[in-house]
Amino acid sequence: MKLEIGNIHVKDVVLGSENSFADGVLTIDKEAAISYLKGEDDHITDLDIVIAHPGDDTRIVPVIETIEPRVRMDGRTLFPGVTGDVVPAGDGELKALKDCCVTVVGKEWGSFGDGVIDMGGEGAKHTRWSEIINICLVGDTDEEFERHEQQKCNHALRWAGHRFAEWLGKIVKDVEAEDTETYVFDPILKRDAARNELPNVAIVLQPQSQMEALGYNDLWYGWDMNKFLPTYVSPTEVFDGAIISGSFMPASSKWSTYEFQNFPLIKELYKHDGVDYNFVGVIMSNLNVALEQKERSAIMVRDMAINLGVDYAIVTEEGYGNPDTDYVRCQVVLEDAGIGVVGVSNESDGRTGVGQPLVVLDEKLNALVSTGNVGELTELPACKTVIGNLEAMNRDGMSGSWGYDEVLGKSARDDGSIIMEDNNWFCGDHISGLSLKTMKEF
């Protein structure tokens, strides 16, 4: 499989009366975009587009999703089973608008898995989104049945975000790419002798799939991953829209669709493929709830790895808490099979940083990479501009904020300042490998 992504670097985004791209400036016909998106889903009752730039004194909350705008040159849908028919992904040509993202924001209502982005000040250091232009799609819907629920599917707005990313991508379909990323994934059984002499390395991804009620989980070709079993897939499929983010997972622990499209851990494996090791692909696993389900998935991952001849593996989970059981068990069974493992996840050490980092631990976990502590407290002053609704932090059960604490008070204060846990930064721990954080030893 061969995937070519032609990158078009965006220097600025402005709203206007027509769509165009010139001299690095993307101009969006705002009214046409809103008309299109409302026409695709009559559940959307209110919609606006607001641009947030790096360095702006702007706080965005509640953030639902981020997506990289792209277009497929052959006309196939960008997100199979979501924005169009179920079609193959993982090969062909794309163009991507770099240095920007579609950021889906609730105008009024937040959810457990929604988060915060600060574009400037001290808060900007917590997420990568502060470094790129956020094309904020701010909306409300008539999905009254979940309005006062802590868990929300946010279906209409999430789907609007993916449609908008595809709509924006079409603006640059005829623009010449400035540079091209090429990812070739050769059939495992047809690789040359030199490649086959190298150690075999795979990555195991454990996307969010805990919710037995459908509509909250990550989707694979539009298929709810709660019904998914571990499967061998091409890394190019991950880059190419085969998987999109779900609505359920504490915000800092999520993999947004943008992160799947650009998964840095997989890109890093590609850099050394054929030189230091033979990258044999992705084992896409899951995160279910019952112990029997967890054991079944771990066994299936193990068996696939053995049959692929994997010598070393990276295992990484989306989330923490209950998923830690899957994450740890998967590493243990691989180690027991003689496969060396590195685990990548965030941890939950509590507000003081001295708690047990994972729900389950095992002495065989001897190579773990931490991307952050979800319980770490952050206190920040008010921002000049809020995109969305700051009150959602107090009212809607977002994972790292609260409406009352007998010591700390409420998360969003009357003066606009905030106090919250790391949990609430949108994809802030960037477990995909996109993280800004480093570890220090004391």
Side-chain angles (χ1 to χ4, degrees), residues 30-167:
K30 177 178 174 178
E31 295 307 317
I34 291 173
S35 176
Y36 162 70
L37 294 169
K38 282 188 170 182
E40 288 292 307
D41 193 334
D42 58 12
H43 290 291
I44 297 173
T45 57
D46 197 0
L47 209 55
D48 194 11
I49 299 170
V50 183
I51 311 302
H53 294 86
D56 287 353
D57 189 14
T58 296
R59 180 163 290 144
I60 311 171
V61 58
V63 179
I64 295 168
E65 168 73 297
T66 57
I67 311 141
E68 184 169 83
R70 293 179 173 184
V71 61
R72 271 198 152 277
M73 300 306 291
D74 62 7
R76 276 185 284 172
T77 185
L78 199 59
F79 301 104
V82 177
T83 54
D85 293 338
V86 178
V87 295
D91 56 7
E93 297 181 26
L94 296 167
K95 285 183 181 174
L97 286 163
K98 308 303 288 189
D99 311 311
C100 67
C101 66
V102 169
T103 303
V104 183
V105 188
K107 180 181 179 182
E108 297 292 340
W109 303 95
S111 182
F112 176 72
D114 300 344
V116 177
I117 295 171
D118 274 10
M119 296 302 295
E122 185 70 10
K125 73 180 186 181
H126 287 275
T127 74
R128 283 284 184 186
W129 318 120
S130 65
E131 298 183 338
I132 63 178
I133 300 167
N134 285 241
I135 307 168
C136 298
L137 189 65
V138 188
D140 201 1
T141 75
D142 66 0
E143 295 163 319
E144 300 281 349
F145 64 94
E146 65 178 15
R147 180 147 292 171
H148 298 287
E149 297 292 332
Q150 186 183 28
Q151 306 289 356
K152 297 178 179 65
C153 292
N154 285 323
H155 183 276
L157 291 180
R158 288 196 297 125
W159 259 237
H162 290 86
R163 292 189 182 105
F164 188 36
E166 191 164 23
W167 188 86

Side-chain angles (χ1 to χ4, degrees), residues 328-354:
V328 170
R329 186 61 186 150
C330 186
Q331 292 181 67
V332 169
V333 298
L334 290 173
E335 290 281 359
D336 285 344
I339 298 169
V341 180
V342 174
V344 182
S345 73
N346 58 8
E347 53 189 291
S348 182
D349 297 324
R351 293 177 181 176
T352 61
V354 296

Side-chain angles (χ1 to χ4, degrees), residues 219-241:
L219 299 180
W220 180 254
Y221 286 94
W223 182 259
D224 192 296
M225 292 194 73
N226 184 261
K227 302 302 181 184
F228 188 84
L229 288 172
T231 303
Y232 175 72
V233 306
S234 168
T236 59
E237 291 177 277
V238 179
F239 292 154
D240 192 24

